[in-house]
Amino acid sequence: MTIHEKAYAKVNLSLDVLRKRGDGYHDLRMIAQTVSLCDDVTIELTDKGGVYAECDMDRVPGGGDNLAAIAAKKFFERAKSPNVGVFIKIKKRIPVGAGLGGGSADAAAVLRALNRELDAGLTESEMFELALGIGSDVPFCVAGGTRMMEGRGEILTALPPLKGCYIVLCKPPGSLSTKRVFGGTDAVAIKNHPDTYGMIKALETGDIPGFGRGMFNVLEEYASKLNGEIAPIRKGMIDLGADGACMTGTGTAVAGLFTDLNAAQTAAESLSKVYMETYLTEPVSPP
Ligand code: C5P
């Protein structure tokens, strides 16, 4: 049996750090969106046992260490079918080390596909629990769409679907360690926070430019000290007509929201002359 599943990238359109927790994580409040840039995940089920993943990009771990392979192992442990063998192939398009949840999206695609195709019957909350054991962004990637993410990222609230806009993604060279960016941001000292509920209000009333203007990521200040190209890319997006822009996750990619398609195309074209990893995407809603 061969299953094909799209693994869509995740973009944080706002990211707020509320507090540092005792368990090493931070309580966050974010607005996240699934976008059309995706990896292709192919899952072959065999009767040989064992889980193996292969990716067409060298920087991504293969074998059993890939997040998609870890997801399959955890799924079969949970669904109590330990003898099923899985061979996962990933065609990577989502930039790695970008804050776009590429690895999480691949893991989520595996969980979604196996639960559906094998009629395993795990409920939504069981899937989210399994997903959180793989990474903080995996529950969102399982669910997809437009959501507020809270807690570590696993408390999900569905928001009205973001429509009528385009999201340009631009990643400068270099990646940042997630732990380092969180570690360098002092939650208590953060002066400016995104107006998350103001953005949600704008979304509810269909004020997409207003929603875009609210985009803000509190981790960007420290990340910008480590990578000097994040701030100029964000400014470039605004100068090229974005309604709003901010770094996604712990970077280094920047997302710009455009309500005007021509402006989005021009911005993507212009940025791609300097930054190879530039993409014009659209918001995607779950089927
Ligand atoms: O859950 P995940 O493995 O993606 O998290 C990677 C690291 O990011 C954590 O070890 C932690 O340092 C940081 N993190 C955090 N607060 C979160 C999510 C991640 O501090 N809510």
Side-chain angles (χ1 to χ4, degrees), residues 120-139:
L122 294 193
T123 63
E124 191 176 67
S125 66
E126 287 170 336
M127 287 283 276
F128 287 165
E129 197 191 316
L130 201 53
L132 186 62
I134 302 164
S136 303
D137 280 340
V138 186

Side-chain angles (χ1 to χ4, degrees), residues 24-28 104 132 134-137 151-153 178-179 182:
Y25 287 92
H26 292 77
D27 276 327
L28 307 176
S104 303
L132 186 62
I134 302 164
S136 303
D137 280 340
R152 258 177 72 190
T178 301
K179 270 188 202 292
F182 273 109

Side-chain angles (χ1 to χ4, degrees), residues 6 28 59 114 121 139 162-163 167 203 208 228 236 269 274 284 286:
K6 299 262 183 227
L28 307 176
R59 284 182 62 201
L114 292 177
L162 178 63
K163 286 183 182 152
I167 295 171
L203 197 56
I208 305 306
E269 221 170 275
V274 186
V284 169

Side-chain angles (χ1 to χ4, degrees), residues 183-226:
T185 302
D186 179 357
V188 181
I190 297 169
K191 286 195 192 75
N192 298 316
H193 294 268
D195 178 9
T196 314
Y197 290 104
M199 288 177 75
I200 293 174
K201 187 110 206 162
L203 197 56
E204 283 167 352
T205 56
D207 175 13
I208 305 306
F211 174 81
R213 282 193 296 275
M215 288 169 71
F216 188 69
N217 180 342
V218 301
L219 298 175
E220 198 176 308
E221 188 179 332
Y222 183 69
S224 297
K225 289 182 187 158
L226 304 176

